[in-house]
Amino acid sequence: MTKPTFDMEAALKALREGQDLTGKDGILTPLIKQLTEAAMKAELEEHLANEEAPNRKNGKSSKTIKGPTGSFELDTPRDRSGTFEPQLVKKNQTHLTDELERKILALFALGNSYQDIRGHIADLYGVELSNGTINAVTDKLLPELQAWRERDLEAIYPIVWLDAIHYKIKENGRYVSKAIYTILGLNIEGKKELLGLYLSDQEGAHHWLSVLTDLNNRGLKDILIACVDGLKGFPEAIETIYPDTEIQHCIIHQIRNSMKYVASKNQKAFMSDLKCVYKATTLNAAEIALDDLEAKWGDKYPMVIQSWRSKWPTLSTYFKYPDYVQKAIYTTNAVEAVHRQFRKLTKTKGGFPNENSLLKLLYAGILKATERWTHPIQNWNLTLSQLTIHFPDRLDKYISL
């Protein structure tokens, strides 16, 4: 008995009546089924023609296939000897193409929950997915993530920003706070590159030391300027691995920490005077403004002034550079922008069942974010020229003129 072929007239009628092309009961699903089965039949005939031992057709087997236009029952031809291996739809394959997986990963990379992903896939393709299936698809990111975390790095990154972000992860039946260490580098071409993600129980100088050691082992031998937050002991950790690196403490972190100790009634006036320090045009003007700040507020807020004094060598690094270099290094805004993207992905999640569930989501977000990192940062040629003047012996060998 001859099977009915795809009914074009019926399909056009359904289309005029507003029936969907794809998804559940999609118009194109029977056509995809017909074409797939015809192609597999041709595969079997070619296989039989090339077989040396006697062999022949041996009926068909049926399985459910999830395709881009919807699910359908596919009749797969068999041979008597069992040597036929279909190439279009392999024996254990349940998806016609990897389009569904790409769509799942794309939705996952936008921060969609598994429930939302299930709904989107059902609307688009008429395919019902379980959380286990989605988890299996997203778990395919883990080997790729591991390879990315172990990849070789360039020998020099002129500017590197380092910061941490915290998440709740389930451990031994309860949720604990853990730090994700994010290292963002600027390569010799002025393009951003995320160098790594590291997870620890808490943010601390000791763990930063192991992070920096790993960067060094992966090939990063020199950093000209490292922009960091106010973590105690952080500069010492950097100096241990990269002794010639200039440290720039983040001005914004320092301001935030300072204002915690200033009474609300004095914050506006204090901030106005503090601006004269970090907005000064020269180092000398900044130091005069710091003296004035201490003279006015030192008796009331000695701990705040002492903090600025003790960190001044690393807070004031940026004053030696022109304004276009200062904008790049005086805060950790560049890496905090990455953290803002992370928060968008994770904002609907109070915690994560394990470390991998967090890391694979952040990695998916990284892949999405780095699609835009194709051009050098603003004024990079001017910045590189300045850095070449300040670090001639360390940069010249990496720059081809």
Side-chain angles (χ1 to χ4, degrees):
M1 181 179 176
T2 304
K3 280 194 172 185
T5 57
F6 181 71
D7 191 335
M8 182 63 74
E9 290 187 7
L12 291 173
K13 181 176 182 293
L15 185 60
R16 284 194 293 268
E17 291 173 352
Q19 186 175 332
D20 290 337
L21 283 171
T22 61
K24 190 176 182 180
D25 302 321
I27 296 168
L28 293 180
T29 300
L31 177 59
I32 298 297
K33 170 182 167 65
Q34 181 182 322
L35 291 174
T36 305
E37 289 178 349
M40 295 181 71
K41 181 181 178 182
E43 278 190 289
L44 175 58
E45 290 174 352
E46 183 180 358
H47 173 77
L48 294 176
N50 293 328
E51 280 269 273
E52 294 182 3
N55 196 3
R56 59 189 174 85
K57 297 177 183 178
N58 188 34
K60 298 172 182 175
S61 60
S62 181
K63 65 178 177 179
T64 301
I65 288 290
K66 297 169 183 177
T69 61
S71 297
F72 59 88
E73 290 298 312
L74 180 69
D75 292 330
T76 303
R78 298 179 304 193
D79 65 326
R80 175 68 68 178
S81 66
T83 57
F84 174 56
E85 171 65 51
Q87 296 303 304
L88 181 62
V89 182
K90 298 183 184 295
K91 286 182 178 178
N92 297 318
Q93 184 177 334
T94 58
H95 291 84
L96 188 59
T97 70
D98 62 356
E99 180 177 345
L100 279 178
E101 290 192 1
R102 291 198 302 270
K103 179 61 71 176
I104 290 169
L105 291 174
L107 291 168
F108 181 67
L110 292 173
N112 287 282
S113 67
Y114 280 13
Q115 181 179 350
D116 289 338
I117 293 173
R118 288 201 314 269
H120 284 301
I121 295 300
D123 289 342
L124 287 169
Y125 303 115
V127 175
E128 297 296 332
L129 298 176
S130 67
N131 283 353
T133 298
I134 298 173
N135 199 54
V137 172
T138 56
D139 274 352
K140 291 184 178 181
L141 289 171
L142 293 175
E144 187 179 327
L145 165 63
Q146 189 61 27
W148 176 82
R149 295 174 76 183
E150 295 174 355
R151 77 195 189 281
D152 291 339
L153 298 175
E154 295 183 18
I156 186 171
Y157 288 84
I159 302 173
V160 170
W161 299 269
L162 307 98
D163 201 4
I165 185 171
H166 298 81
Y167 288 103
K168 296 288 186 181
I169 298 175
K170 197 170 187 178
E171 194 173 83
N172 298 323
R174 64 187 184 92
Y175 286 94
V176 297
S177 181
K178 294 198 174 188
I180 288 284
Y181 297 81
T182 310
I183 297 91
L184 179 68
L186 207 61
N187 64 23
I188 203 72
E189 297 175 346
K191 297 177 182 178
K192 294 178 183 176
E193 180 183 336
L194 208 54
L195 307 185
L197 289 179
Y198 299 84
L199 194 144
S200 173
D201 291 339
Q202 59 184 1
E203 187 175 2
H206 178 74
H207 188 71
W208 272 119
L209 184 60
S210 68
V211 169
L212 294 164
T213 300
D214 182 71
L215 294 176
N216 186 267
N217 290 339
R218 288 166 54 203
L220 174 50
K221 300 307 178 186
D222 198 6
I223 299 171
L224 302 185
I225 304 172
C227 311
V228 304
D229 65 10
L231 177 66
K232 186 177 180 181
F234 200 178
E236 291 78 7
I238 294 174
E239 186 177 2
T240 301
I241 307 298
Y242 300 102
D244 297 322
T245 296
E246 284 189 353
I247 306 297
Q248 172 61 59
H249 263 120
C250 176
I251 293 294
I252 302 302
H253 276 86
Q254 179 69 10
I255 293 169
R256 288 174 188 160
N257 291 334
S258 298
M259 299 309 289
K260 292 177 185 177
Y261 302 98
V262 177
S264 55
K265 65 179 181 180
N266 293 327
Q267 284 187 356
K268 186 175 181 180
F270 186 91
M271 191 64 196
S272 178
D273 294 335
L274 186 57
K275 275 186 179 179
C276 296
V277 178
Y278 67 87
K279 291 282 190 180
T281 54
T282 65
L283 177 60
N284 184 57
E287 290 176 340
I288 292 173
L290 184 58
D291 290 339
D292 293 342
L293 185 76
E294 182 173 12
K296 184 175 179 179
W297 299 101
D299 291 340
K300 194 176 291 288
Y301 304 114
M303 187 169 66
V304 175
I305 301 301
Q306 176 57 31
S307 176
W308 280 84
R309 289 292 189 192
S310 63
K311 295 179 182 176
W312 187 245
T314 52
L315 283 169
S316 61
T317 299
Y318 68 102
F319 283 112
K320 69 173 69 172
Y321 300 103
D323 59 349
Y324 49 85
V325 181
Q326 290 183 17
K327 288 177 182 177
I329 68 172
Y330 87 106
T331 74
T332 54
N333 278 352
V335 69
E336 287 180 16
V338 175
H339 287 171
R340 284 194 292 274
Q341 292 299 315
F342 286 171
R343 290 189 182 96
K344 286 181 182 178
L345 292 177
T346 60
K347 63 183 178 183
T348 61
K349 299 170 178 62
F352 291 84
N354 51 60
E355 294 180 358
N356 280 343
S357 64
L358 170 61
L359 288 171
K360 69 183 180 182
L361 177 56
L362 297 184
Y363 179 62
I366 290 168
L367 295 177
K368 190 75 175 173
T370 54
E371 290 175 0
R372 302 189 297 271
W373 295 350
T374 56
H375 300 289
I377 64 166
Q378 192 173 11
N379 296 314
W380 174 245
N381 287 336
L382 292 173
T383 299
L384 188 60
S385 296
Q386 282 291 321
L387 295 177
T388 304
I389 294 171
H390 284 275
F391 306 97
D393 297 334
R394 293 158 64 186
L395 263 181
D396 287 350
K397 59 183 175 182
Y398 299 106
I399 300 174
S400 55
L401 299 176

